[in-house]
Amino acid sequence: MTVGWNLGNTLDAVGSGLSSETSWGNPKATKKLIDAVKAAGFNTVRIPVTWMGHFDKSTYKIDEKWLARVKEVVDYVVDNGMYAIINIHHDGNDTAQSWLTPEPSNEAAMVAQFEALWKQIAEYFNSYDEHLLFAGMNEFHHGYNNPSKEYLRITDELNQSFVTTVRATGGNNAKRILICPAYNTNGEASLKMTMPKDTVNNKLMMEIHFYDPWNFAGSGKGDWGKTGTHTDGWGQEDWVNNIFGRIKTKFVDKGIPVILGEYGAINNKDGYDDFRRYYVEYVTKAAKENGLLPIWWDNGYDGSSGEAFAIFNRTSCTKLHEDIHAAIMRAVSGRNYTIELPHS
């Protein structure tokens, strides 16, 4: 696994039935798209999947048609010799619909539902080899304040439930690589987490996401880096090095691989493209240098929506923003080079 790309806002769109895949404005995922992603140099595809709306609320039985569609997209990836990651996504994103929360009214019922879903998912995909990885949750959180000890405890316990449940299904799942996210997939929260106990060695990974500072990366405001005016002074190069370095010490140096499951900076068409290119290249290179696997967040939009992380046009299956794609590929090349500063 060298560098990854997210099939965002597709199978993770909230809704019911197969039509939910396109409910957030993206076309159905196609083999042609995944072929284009591979041709562009990515060898890992994270496939976020939302399951609520696709299982019986009483029995937790997952809709067979939904499982089959997830499998179809997974096959586009693994049949290409690439690595696929599937997860439980917006079920736990602190929305009105979410049932997966660190502050449940009935924790036991939540855990039972979580385990029932993972048992079915694991059994359905048991025959797949190491090219398929499971990630237990997505941005599991309640609010954006510093998490309480109780929130951290529940995160750790759900990660343990995930590992125990998948391993119990046997077969290839007894040794499959499993990814355990930090609370809210947050870098600082990861430093407080406890990795689950496992029945096999060296088969667990940890996951964080990175959009720091959100004012720039997520909202497209101002600029970033050494030559900018820093409309948001926090979260510059020194912060990238600091947090990735601490994660390296806690996890990577101890033999626990880490994925940067989502990261990116939006294209807001307000003339900050050179700062965006610099940010993307710097963060990607710092991730690789600290042993983190970078997986770009692509939500499929073309920029007209005001939220644009897309680097592929999902209809034509062609690249958007070649400068960003080139920056990612330079950063993961392993070459020792100096990143060109943006023009202020």
Side-chain angles (χ1 to χ4, degrees):
M1 301 171 74
T2 55
V3 60
W5 175 85
N6 271 274
L7 182 66
N9 288 17
T10 304
L11 296 181
D12 53 320
V14 176
S16 59
L18 296 180
S19 63
S20 65
E21 180 177 348
T22 61
S23 64
W24 284 358
N26 285 318
K28 288 185 63 176
T30 62
K31 183 180 184 302
K32 181 180 178 182
L33 173 62
I34 301 304
D35 289 347
V37 172
K38 180 179 181 179
F42 298 93
N43 81 334
T44 301
V45 178
R46 182 173 178 259
I47 307 170
V49 183
T50 296
W51 301 90
M52 60 183 179
H54 302 287
F55 63 85
D56 186 283
K57 292 183 179 179
S58 299
T59 65
Y60 311 141
K61 180 174 174 53
I62 300 172
D63 179 4
E64 286 288 335
K65 291 181 179 179
W66 186 244
L67 277 167
R69 177 55 182 158
V70 175
K71 178 183 184 300
E72 190 173 22
V73 177
V74 167
D75 288 345
Y76 296 156
V77 177
V78 298
D79 288 350
N80 248 339
M82 305 164 79
Y83 294 89
I85 300 170
I86 59 174
N87 69 355
I88 290 181
H89 202 78
H90 283 303
D91 301 66
N93 268 43
D94 196 22
T95 64
Q97 303 121 308
S98 301
W99 59 269
L100 189 60
T101 167
E103 198 172 60
S105 57
N106 188 335
E107 183 179 338
M110 179 192 70
V111 173
Q113 183 167 313
F114 179 74
E115 292 176 348
L117 293 181
W118 267 117
K119 182 175 186 294
Q120 293 174 79
I121 298 165
E123 288 176 344
Y124 192 87
F125 289 98
N126 200 326
S127 64
Y128 284 73
D129 66 11
E130 70 276 6
H131 285 85
L132 177 61
L133 296 80
F134 298 155
M137 300 174 286
N138 181 50
E139 295 172 351
F140 176 74
H141 71 284
H142 184 73
Y144 289 95
N145 296 323
N146 289 330
S148 66
K149 290 183 179 179
E150 189 73 353
Y151 289 2
L152 295 172
R153 175 190 67 79
I154 293 175
T155 306
D156 286 347
E157 290 187 2
L158 278 174
N159 276 326
Q160 183 64 66
S161 293
F162 163 61
V163 171
T164 301
T165 299
V166 173
R167 294 289 182 240
T169 61
N172 286 347
N173 290 331
K175 57 183 179 181
R176 188 174 309 285
I177 295 175
L178 304 179
I179 302 168
C180 301
Y183 174 85
N184 200 22
T185 53
N186 175 270
E188 288 188 286
S190 75
L191 302 174
K192 302 175 183 179
M193 72 183 288
T194 301
M195 290 295 289
K197 295 179 180 178
D198 200 0
T199 53
V200 289
N201 295 324
N202 304 320
K203 294 293 183 178
L204 297 182
M205 300 176 76
M206 192 276 286
E207 178 179 1
I208 66 162
H209 297 171
F210 191 84
Y211 298 102
D212 295 344
W214 181 257
N215 190 51
F216 175 82
S219 298
K221 297 177 181 177
D223 50 43
W224 188 86
K226 297 175 183 176
T227 65
T229 57
H230 305 331
T231 54
D232 187 338
W234 172 82
Q236 305 302 315
E237 293 99 332
D238 56 349
W239 170 245
V240 176
N241 299 332
N242 177 295
I243 190 61
F244 288 177
R246 285 190 286 158
I247 289 170
K248 178 179 182 293
T249 298
K250 180 174 174 65
F251 296 100
V252 179
D253 290 349
K254 296 177 182 176
I256 302 170
V258 178
I259 70 167
L260 194 59
E262 293 181 17
Y263 78 109
I266 71 167
N267 170 40
N268 71 350
K269 298 185 178 179
D270 280 347
Y272 86 145
D273 283 356
D274 203 26
F275 289 99
R276 182 188 187 217
R277 186 273 313 160
Y278 176 67
Y279 173 90
V280 169
E281 194 162 355
Y282 195 98
V283 172
T284 307
K285 194 169 191 290
K288 290 295 286 189
E289 289 175 346
N290 284 282
L292 281 64
L293 172 70
I295 305 179
W296 178 266
W297 175 251
D298 189 318
N299 60 1
Y301 296 132
D302 64 3
S304 61
S305 70
E307 181 187 19
F309 290 92
I311 57 173
F312 283 92
N313 181 308
R314 303 255 183 113
T315 301
S316 64
C317 302
T318 55
K319 284 184 286 185
L320 299 167
H321 308 296
E322 178 55 40
D323 59 331
I324 300 301
H325 170 257
I328 294 170
M329 292 304 156
R330 280 195 300 271
V332 300
S333 67
R335 295 192 299 270
N336 185 17
Y337 68 98
T338 301
I339 301 173
E340 181 183 351
L341 289 170
H343 303 292
S344 58

